Amino acid sequence: MSTKQIIGVFDDEALLLKATQKLKSHGVNIRDIYGPSADHDLIKNLTRESKLPYLSVFTGILTILLTFAFVYYVTVIDYPLHYGGKPVFAFPSLVVVMYLLCILITGAFTTFSFLTSEKMFPGKAPRLVDPRAAIDRFYLVLERNFNPDEITEWLREEGAEEIIEKETEA
Amino acid sequence: MDTRFKPTKKFMLIFAAMILIGLVAVIAGFVSDPARTWPNVLLNNMYFITLSMGALMFYAIQYISGSSWSALIQRIPLAAGAFLPIGFILMLLLYFGLHDIYEWSHPEITETDKLMAHKAPFLNVPFFMIRMVLYFALWVPLFFLLRSMARKEDQIGGEQWYHKSAFYAKVFIFAAVLIFSLASVDWIMTIDAHWYSTMFGFRSMITSMYYGTAIIILLIFLLKRMDFFPQLKEAHRHDLARYLFRFSIVFGYLWFMQFLIIWYANIPESTIYYTPRLHGEWKFFFYAEPIINWAIPFVVVMADDFGRKKPVLIGISALLMIGLWMSLFLQIMPGSYGSLKLGFLEIGIWIGYIGLYLIMVFLCLSGLSIVPKNHPMLDDSIHHHL
């Protein structure tokens, strides 16, 4: 599905921040912000919230159960062995392994889900709004859920350099 | 905005009442059961010295790392260390109760106990007291030096006080980290003189920074309630919460590693420490300690938006205050008094010490301007954002 989007081009981060706050207060959905540097205040203004942290926590909890099951299978079911006067299911002695397994599985799963959700794969053409986004310009991508003339007016008021209307893959 | 804190009459009355409760508890304790009272005095000394040292380490770290976000609140960690001189006097009083706390302080034990005889050149009463005096002889002057520099920065102004404080902060961090590790081994670990853990000192030092951060958070919000710090924003709370979160991880790691290595090796001379705590009447405290001190703060403060809320931070910090008490209770009591007794004596002495600690903190604060007046990074701190 392709939708039309309005893109405001800014060359100043402070102006961009002010513009995002104003547009947000008007109820415009901010789809994305492209720029050469990251800014926490800008990320907070995005309408689309990343679900990745929740997925990460969920996977983490699942992985803890998984590693417990794994250790239980290895030490109790598959190869029960008493050593050092400890019970068979002596998981604290394997806690380092379990800890690293949790990090590995959760980290790998989060990474791959990020890659899938963003449809990234080797050799994919970059989905940049404009090559200048990697150099010195900030791009504010807005959904057209308002009267486009109104949005354009607001953007111009806030000091946008240029306003582009573009069809993009959603 | 009023930049000076004036302790009101109401405050002083509350603190005086707290100290009175503590005095009643101590006197009642000495009359009825001195063997139970002395370990409690040590526990509370250690508790508030831990808080003071932790807060001062926080203060020093801000100077060493050149942090600008904390300039606004820098007077709080400094004042939170004001208990140190009193702690020194109270630790010296412990001289009269050494026999009730430390097994090695009985001279006749060296005749029957070979290990104690071997350790006697280090663990004897005169040397113990000399070491105690030496530790405080390092800390207390450094604390007064840092405080006088902060005061001069307020009164005279100029950048040189910042640079001087930064230099003495570096001196202090060495004195604090190295000597506090040694001191905790001296005062706490030698209670179980047959046992030792090589990470005990490091663990106590990290613990001190952890709870130092918690008491700073509590004091900041107490002062904010009295309309100080109007500039305190979410960004500052975020940084404080990050401190708590980080130290909770380190605490959990060290707590577990000390246990894990001993549990795994299963050598009688090291398991002697954990056997009564893990299987005896201390069981509840043993399991509650990591839950209160690690699990709850870790999970709650981890959530980015939720963990930065004011009531959450206050709640977690207050919980940690109880956690530190439990942690020290578990470290001190089994080796010294031997049986689990929790009553008015324990709680009363603690309350008395809280009153004394807060009086010292607020007296120190009243001599300083709460927001540093001439701190070179103050503006940066007020406009701090993430």
Side-chain angles (χ1 to χ4, degrees), chain B residues 107-114 117:
Chain B
E108 63 276 6
I109 197 167
T110 50
E111 288 160 21
T112 51
D113 198 324
K114 229 175 131 188

Side-chain angles (χ1 to χ4, degrees), chain B residues 208-282:
Chain B
S208 160
M209 286 179 167
Y210 187 22
Y211 299 103
T213 314
I215 191 78
I216 291 166
I217 291 173
L218 284 179
L219 287 172
I220 286 172
F221 286 124
L222 185 63
L223 285 167
K224 190 155 168 59
R225 221 190 124 98
M226 296 181 226
D227 296 333
F228 292 100
F229 298 125
Q231 309 98 323
L232 198 79
K233 286 185 303 193
E234 197 206 347
H236 299 106
R237 290 206 302 275
H238 176 80
D239 280 340
L240 288 167
R242 270 198 304 206
Y243 260 85
L244 268 191
F245 183 60
R246 177 179 66 201
F247 283 127
S248 81
I249 296 172
V250 185
F251 175 90
Y253 173 77
L254 290 173
W255 182 89
F256 186 67
M257 280 304 140
Q258 181 175 303
F259 171 71
L260 177 68
I261 288 167
I262 288 170
W263 179 86
Y264 190 69
N266 208 9
I267 300 167
E269 59 190 65
S270 32
T271 49
I272 190 175
Y273 182 77
Y274 278 112
T275 309
R277 287 166 176 82
L278 197 56
H279 298 296
E281 51 192 348
W282 309 91

